Amino acid sequence: MTLSRRGFAPSPLRGEGRGEGPAPRQGRMALAALLLAAATLSACSTGPKVPDWKINAIGHVERFTEAYLKGDERVEAREFALARAETARTGKPEQVARIELNRCATRVASLVFEPCAGVEPLRADAGEAERAYADYLEGRVLSAAQAALLPEHHRAVATGAASAALPPADDPLGRLIAAGVLLRRTQASPAVVEQAVETASNQGWRRPLLAWLGVQARLAEQRGDTEEAVRIKRRMDLVQPMLP
């Protein structure tokens, strides 16, 4: 089979012209890595064998992403270390950078705004797409050329367009990441916050749900809606005891 260029593949580890990894979980695990691969092979039983490191790393990325969003730090740390080790075996900085960016993206989705420290030592040797995505996660407004390296539904947010819409509902993690970027820039409207709350709630992702409910409660308090703020905090109480 021949290469079919689709802009970006659903995983950081797919799309190098060497085969196709496991299929994404019906869009639920639309990882930040979706933003970083450049091409993918059409599924074909006669295509090249996918390297073991790639298959292994994709599984670890899915598991550490899901574990963090659910609030399981122990599993997240173990699976992240395994994913990083698998990609480090290639000696390719861009592959390791994608693992680090996946981790940073889960933080942005959960409103943990901290430097993406693991990416910085790799930045000089990573590709333009990795650097653009790192800047995007940091809340920087990208140029049109940089934004073109991201999937289409992230580009308006990346360039700071006033009418930017969040990614579609079938990309829940992408939606939360974009909402987090907007909040980091202090550009998230109450409607964006509401969409983020419902997205995290529908997925059962405790960590971002608590974070976004906290924002929603503060907005209610700021407009003097005490009853609504109390209602939201009761909802937070349902989630809070479940986190370690």
Side-chain angles (χ1 to χ4, degrees):
M1 302 292 287
T2 58
L3 275 174
S4 61
R5 295 194 63 86
R6 299 193 306 201
F8 292 85
S11 158
L13 309 171
R14 298 170 68 180
E16 293 187 329
R18 296 180 183 151
E20 185 164 343
R25 300 178 185 176
Q26 298 177 345
R28 182 170 59 85
M29 291 305 299
L31 305 173
L34 166 141
L35 310 174
L36 300 174
T40 186
L41 283 174
S42 299
C44 179
S45 60
T46 60
K49 180 181 182 295
V50 182
D52 288 344
W53 72 264
K54 187 178 292 190
I55 295 173
N56 295 340
I58 289 171
H60 293 310
V61 167
E62 290 184 344
R63 288 189 288 275
F64 84 64
T65 300
E66 186 80 1
Y68 183 80
L69 296 171
K70 287 180 176 178
D72 192 334
E73 294 182 359
R74 179 182 60 83
V75 171
E76 191 263 352
R78 182 184 71 235
E79 294 295 333
F80 169 77
L82 291 170
R84 200 182 194 285
E86 288 288 347
T87 52
R89 291 198 290 122
T90 69
K92 295 180 178 180
E94 68 274 13
Q95 295 292 350
V96 180
R98 292 169 188 175
I99 300 302
E100 294 285 354
L101 286 166
N102 266 275
R103 195 182 210 190
C104 295
T106 62
R107 271 63 177 170
V108 172
S110 304
L111 308 185
V112 179
F113 299 145
E114 58 190 15
C116 194
V119 169
E120 290 311 307
L122 303 164
R123 182 182 277 267
D125 297 316
E128 292 183 7
E130 288 78 25
R131 289 193 289 271
Y133 190 50
D135 289 345
Y136 175 61
L137 292 179
E138 290 174 4
R140 299 179 190 175
V141 175
L142 304 189
S143 67
Q146 287 178 303
L149 300 172
L150 307 184
E152 185 174 357
H153 57 252
H154 279 268
R155 292 173 191 168
V157 172
T159 57
S163 59
L166 295 181
D170 62 0
D171 180 5
L173 183 52
R175 174 170 280 202
L176 289 175
I177 292 165
V181 168
L182 289 173
L183 190 70
R184 194 168 197 172
R185 295 181 190 158
T186 68
Q187 294 177 334
S189 67
V192 165
V193 175
E194 174 65 25
Q195 289 181 71
V197 166
E198 291 311 305
T199 298
S201 175
N202 290 339
Q203 296 301 316
W205 287 340
R206 300 169 188 162
R207 193 180 299 276
L209 177 58
L210 273 175
W212 285 102
L213 283 171
V215 173
Q216 201 172 46
R218 287 194 296 274
L219 291 175
E221 290 169 348
Q222 288 170 9
R223 64 176 182 267
D225 193 342
T226 304
E227 183 177 347
E228 177 67 3
V230 170
R231 184 193 67 80
I232 293 169
K233 289 176 181 178
R234 286 199 302 268
R235 190 175 178 187
M236 294 174 70
D237 289 341
L238 291 175
V239 183
Q240 185 70 53
M242 302 174 76
L243 278 174

